[in-house]
Amino acid sequence: MAENQQQAGNPAQWSSRFAFIMAAVGSAVGLGNIWKFPYIVGENGGGAFVLVYLACIAVIGLPIMIAEVMLGRRAGHSPIGTMAAVARAEGRSRGWQGVGIMVTLTAFIILSFYSVIAGWTLPYILRAVGGGFSGIAAEESGALFDGLLASPGQLLLWHTVVMGLTVLVSAGGVRHGLERVITKLMPALFVLLLILVGYAMTSGHFGEAVTFLFKPDFSALTAEAVLVALGHAFFTLSLASGAMMAYGAYLKKEVPIVRTSITVALLDTGVALLAGLAIFPIVFAYGLAPGEGPGLIFVTLPVAFGQMPGGSFFATLFFVLLLFAAWTSSISMLESLVSYLNEKGVSRVKAAVGGGLVAWLVGITTVLSLNDWSGFAPLGMFERFEGKTLFDLYDYLTANIMMPLGALLTAIFVGWKMKPEHSAVELGRWHRLWFPVVRYLSPIAVLIVFYFNLR
Ligand code: PHE
């Protein structure tokens, strides 16, 4: 089978290095870059936080991404199958398959709520197209957003649409589904983003945004912010969720893993920074607050769009961009599970529909967490989880526990359990640099964060 997979026309493999890069960047670039990154930068004081985040990407995120892509390509299976196969080949315990199971579950839980948030973009697109933001005041914009969250029916509808779009592409398979759609959406996304940055440059407040993003003020940095930065580095690079491992499995042997992973990490980081450069000039130009929080782009930006010339056009571009970004990420979240079921003999169509359906059902609990069940805190008896809804718990469990744990175990596996000669074959001359980092630095850094997070 390994031989077969090398054939150029294999529909279960990316056709080119470019296709892999687009798919991996499609996975990495998502709500994390355009929705979350700007608002956590805003909340954590700007430049110093950005610097710490960049360091986390370079020192911890990138080495682990390389590890995941390498493992996936070496075995060529789903994340569960890959962990089992590589552990066996290395003479290690079958228990390592558990890492594959955990990351698949992580992706699945994230997908269930991610699809709900991604769905928010749809009513915003419709409203933007109809010019519905023109002249909108801040309170009105806040009320619109609150109104959306308060309506289980609306949220469910949009959640259903996003999950449907995700399943549709996933069911089409690697080359005919994922590659075909993602290689069109991603370039479109880059163009849309550049147009928005171009507009932001004319806002008269571009310099202010550059200063905010790039001039570090370390007095604004807290220990908590460092934890947020590392957690976000995992999330934004789609690590410890099987996405990169699953996509790595479809990569041809001749593609250089380290250089390709660096490109993916750079593009992901570039998009996050560009999103900041598109959003903050507008925030500053209209006297809005950068520390607004999760509502930053849904509450704050419409006010600005409503005042600027051509606002409907830019608002439409912006929310379409967000939808594309979230869609290509959702597709990758489903891939760990779909590839596993596929390996077990379930057809891709059945696997995608079945997986999507269960994630959709679980997603309903997130829909309700935002309104009818907002007072329901299932683990409220523990102080740490007081007031946390089911949605909050999914987010907490995946971001603070499952992702760091998955990343830690991956680093331990490649750094201590796998023979360095074997990873050297896959990585070439970069191995000498990568190996000590993933063996010592990455696990220690993750452990430190874990300690502070769970303290
Ligand atoms: N990286 C995506 C984002 O930033 C989220 C993601 C997490 C995608 C895990 C796949 C797997 O939005």
Side-chain angles (χ1 to χ4, degrees):
M1 166 162 112
E3 245 53 62
N4 283 335
Q5 288 201 353
Q6 295 312 306
Q7 285 166 16
N10 187 340
Q13 212 173 40
W14 309 117
S15 64
S16 61
R17 175 168 181 254
F18 172 78
F20 170 78
I21 291 176
M22 286 301 109
V25 174
S27 171
V29 170
L31 296 169
N33 304 60
I34 302 166
W35 171 60
K36 196 163 183 194
F37 179 74
Y39 90 71
I40 58 178
V41 171
E43 281 181 339
N44 291 288
F49 176 83
V50 172
L51 218 58
V52 173
Y53 164 78
L54 293 178
C56 290
I57 294 274
V59 175
I60 307 167
L62 178 62
I64 290 179
M65 182 193 288
I66 293 169
E68 292 194 12
V69 176
M70 174 195 73
L71 287 168
R73 185 173 72 179
R74 178 169 168 201
H77 298 305
S78 69
I80 296 176
T82 287
M83 288 309 294
V86 180
R88 192 178 330 111
E90 297 288 332
R92 299 297 176 179
S93 152
R94 230 189 126 67
W96 283 102
Q97 188 178 2
V99 176
I101 296 173
M102 187 178 71
V103 298
T104 303
L105 194 64
T106 304
F108 190 76
I109 298 173
I110 296 178
L111 174 62
S112 76
F113 66 78
Y114 198 87
S115 159
V116 176
I117 304 176
W120 298 350
T121 59
L122 291 160
Y124 274 75
I125 293 171
L126 295 180
R127 181 169 286 266
V129 170
F133 294 126
S134 92
I136 196 171
E139 307 79 64
E140 222 182 313
S141 176
L144 256 179
F145 185 61
D146 293 344
L148 172 65
L149 298 196
S151 160
Q154 274 205 62
L155 291 175
L156 184 62
L157 170 66
W158 307 125
H159 165 51
T160 309
V161 174
V162 173
M163 197 61 86
L165 287 171
T166 304
V167 167
L168 200 69
V169 177
S170 183
V174 177
R175 178 112 25 123
H176 301 300
L178 276 61
E179 178 172 329
R180 201 159 51 103
V181 174
I182 296 170
T183 50
K184 294 191 182 70
L185 289 181
M186 292 314 289
L189 178 142
F190 291 128
V191 173
L192 296 183
L193 187 58
L194 290 176
I195 296 176
L196 285 167
V197 174
Y199 172 77
M201 286 178 138
T202 67
S203 68
H205 291 256
F206 196 70
E208 216 176 307
V210 171
T211 308
F212 182 68
L213 279 172
F214 296 109
K215 189 157 172 265
D217 166 12
F218 284 99
S219 67
L221 194 68
T222 59
E224 160 100 34
V226 178
L227 303 182
V228 173
L230 183 64
H232 189 63
F234 290 137
F235 186 81
T236 190
L237 293 177
S238 308
L239 300 179
S241 59
M244 292 299 165
M245 214 184 272
Y247 280 5
Y250 312 138
L251 194 58
K252 289 181 184 157
K253 288 289 176 205
E254 62 271 20
V255 174
I257 290 179
V258 177
R259 269 204 297 136
T260 306
S261 302
I262 292 175
T263 307
V264 172
L266 281 177
L267 284 170
D268 180 68
T269 308
V271 169
L273 295 175
L274 285 175
L277 288 176
I279 292 167
F280 285 117
I282 299 178
V283 168
F284 292 133
Y286 292 90
L288 308 164
E292 160 77 32
L296 182 65
I297 62 176
F298 288 101
V299 177
T300 308
L301 279 189
V303 177
F305 287 134
Q307 295 175 35
M308 67 178 63
S312 306
F313 172 71
F314 288 113
T316 309
L317 280 192
F318 181 81
F319 289 109
V320 167
L321 170 88
L322 197 56
L323 175 65
F324 283 5
W327 185 12
T328 52
S329 296
S330 304
I331 293 166
S332 74
M333 289 173 200
L334 196 52
E335 191 55 26
S336 299
L337 181 66
V338 169
S339 60
Y340 174 70
L341 293 174
N342 202 212
E343 237 160 56
K344 291 281 156 206
V346 181
S347 75
R348 260 201 91 96
V349 175
K350 283 205 182 113
V353 172
L357 192 66
V358 180
W360 177 80
L361 282 171
V362 178
I364 295 177
T365 62
T366 287
V367 165
L368 294 171
S369 295
L370 296 168
N371 36 68
D372 294 358
W373 294 2
S374 62
F376 174 47
L379 298 179
M381 56 282 201
F382 305 105
E383 206 189 323
R384 177 183 295 273
F385 301 119
E386 228 179 272
K388 284 203 187 314
T389 62
L390 273 171
F391 169 36
D392 296 332
L393 291 176
Y394 301 146
D395 183 30
Y396 185 92
L397 182 69
T398 50
N400 294 345
I401 299 173
M402 295 173 86
M403 281 191 150
L405 187 60
L408 177 66
L409 291 171
T410 305
I412 292 175
F413 184 76
V414 298
W416 298 86
K417 301 292 173 184
M418 200 171 150
K419 285 194 193 60
E421 303 89 86
H422 294 163
S423 42
V425 173
E426 298 283 339
L427 301 184
R429 64 193 169 88
W430 289 90
H431 188 264
R432 284 177 49 194
L433 186 62
W434 169 82
F435 190 68
V437 173
V438 87
R439 186 173 165 98
Y440 300 107
L441 205 54
S442 313
I444 291 171
V446 179
L447 275 175
I448 293 174
V449 170
F450 236 137
Y451 172 75
F452 281 104
N453 248 342
L454 298 182
R455 207 166 42 141

